[in-house]
């Protein structure tokens, strides 16, 4: 199946980049995919999935979690502050910490619950006006503010501009993570995950290359 092909390509890209085997985690992005395709990937043994919408994830995953022990869910879509409480209960990682108001909300949830999902800060490497993410020039101050609030992001995430070569964006993200002492790098999708691995990705987010084309909107 496509999952096995993608896993093989990830292992080959790790080898080509001189990375340790298994250094890169595959997040299978299951948003807007039919249930039978997701179940096939679960049945094949894969356990790490990414979702973009809190409500969709909350509807789909509790039942699968009961059937397939060990599922790990990562939030990779924009997170509204008023959905943060549901999100921290549903997800083991949030890749889209992108603004001070969300950091404040997560910090107060963390104080109330004693623990939070792993956090990645989304960086708008292309400085695109319509795209979420902290601007590169604001990252150091944002991370300082996070740490003041007792948040400890583990890495950075980016979505390069669609019309550009991803490679310089991945290289920029890797440089910023190194400068900030962050080990996690969430970058690379179906079309460019091998490029991301060459630049140091620790998490690649692959959807359509595993599952096929998805519906364009939520049902
Ligand atoms: C949908 C999505 C993906 C997966 O995209 P594909 O091109 O289907 O691999 C990865 N990351 C984010 C943030 C997404 O929204």
């Amino acid at each position: 199946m496509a999952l096995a092909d993608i896993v093989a390509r990830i292992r080959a890209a790790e080898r080509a980049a001189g990375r340790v085997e298994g250094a890169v985690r595959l997040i299978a992005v299951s948003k807007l995919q039919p249930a039978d395709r997701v179940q096939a990937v679960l049945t094949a043994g894969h356990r790490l999935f990414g979702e973009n919408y809190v409500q969709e994830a909350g509807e789909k995953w509790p039942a699968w979690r009961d059937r397939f022990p060990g599922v790990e869910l990562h939030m990779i879509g924009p997170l509204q502050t008023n959905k943060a409480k549901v999100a921290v209960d549903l997800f083991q990682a949030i890749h889209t910490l992108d603004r001070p108001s969300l950091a404040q909300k997560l910090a107060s949830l963390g104080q109330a619950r004693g623990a939070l999902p792993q956090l990645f800060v989304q960086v708008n490497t292309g400085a695109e006006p319509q795209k979420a993410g902290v601007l590169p020039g604001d990252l150091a101050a944002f991370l300082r503010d996070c740490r003041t609030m007792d948040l400890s992001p583990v890495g950075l995430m980016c979505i390069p501009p669609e019309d550009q070569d991803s490679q310089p964006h991945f290289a920029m993200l890797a440089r910023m993570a190194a400068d900030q002492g962050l080990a996690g790098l969430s970058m690379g999708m179906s079309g460019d995950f091998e490029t991301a691995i060459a630049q140091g990705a620790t998490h690649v987010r692959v959807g359509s290359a595993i599952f096929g084309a998805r519906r364009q909107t939520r049902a």
Side-chain angles (χ1 to χ4, degrees):
M1 77 190 300
L3 173 69
D5 293 340
I6 298 301
V7 171
R9 283 171 60 187
I10 289 171
R11 297 286 95 89
E14 286 170 341
R15 276 193 299 278
R19 310 267 314 266
V20 173
E21 169 155 358
V24 179
R25 299 193 70 202
L26 170 60
I27 302 172
V29 178
S30 46
K31 64 167 176 230
L32 305 176
Q33 291 288 351
D36 58 331
R37 294 185 192 168
V38 181
Q39 269 165 225
V41 167
L42 281 161
T43 302
H46 194 74
R47 289 294 179 268
L48 175 55
F49 292 83
E51 289 282 348
N52 284 57
Y53 309 100
V54 173
Q55 189 182 332
E56 182 191 358
E59 287 162 5
K60 296 192 310 196
W61 281 98
W64 279 330
R65 277 202 150 122
D66 288 343
R67 275 180 61 194
F68 300 97
V71 164
E72 187 179 332
L73 266 193
H74 288 202
M75 174 62 176
I76 64 167
L79 180 55
Q80 293 170 356
T81 307
N82 64 6
K83 301 226 170 108
K85 187 169 193 302
V86 178
V88 298
D89 289 333
L90 194 54
F91 294 100
Q92 284 66 62
I94 294 172
H95 290 234
T96 46
L97 172 52
D98 62 353
R99 60 193 191 280
S101 59
L102 182 58
Q104 266 153 19
K105 181 70 187 183
L106 291 169
S108 77
L109 289 168
Q111 263 155 22
R113 323 161 74 241
L116 281 176
Q118 282 200 329
L119 300 175
F120 291 75
V121 174
Q122 182 173 356
V123 181
N124 186 356
T125 57
E128 297 172 277
Q130 81 288 3
K131 194 166 272 177
V134 177
L135 291 171
D138 296 338
L139 179 65
F142 183 74
L143 284 167
R144 258 196 315 275
D145 290 347
C146 285
R147 288 165 185 148
T148 307
M149 292 179 230
D150 263 346
L151 295 180
S152 309
V154 298
L156 303 180
M157 177 272 211
C158 77
I159 308 170
E162 265 178 45
D163 57 349
Q164 289 178 29
D165 181 6
S166 298
Q167 196 270 342
H169 293 273
F170 295 155
M172 184 199 298
L173 198 73
R175 215 161 40 236
M176 290 188 290
D179 287 347
Q180 296 294 333
L182 298 173
L185 275 175
S186 169
M187 57 190 196
M189 309 184 5
S190 287
D192 55 15
F193 66 88
E194 285 144 322
T195 304
I197 291 169
Q199 295 301 320
T202 59
H203 295 66
V204 294
R205 311 177 308 266
V206 181
S208 45
I210 295 173
F211 296 107
R214 59 187 157 256
R215 300 193 312 273
Q216 288 306 299
T217 55
R218 296 181 48 207

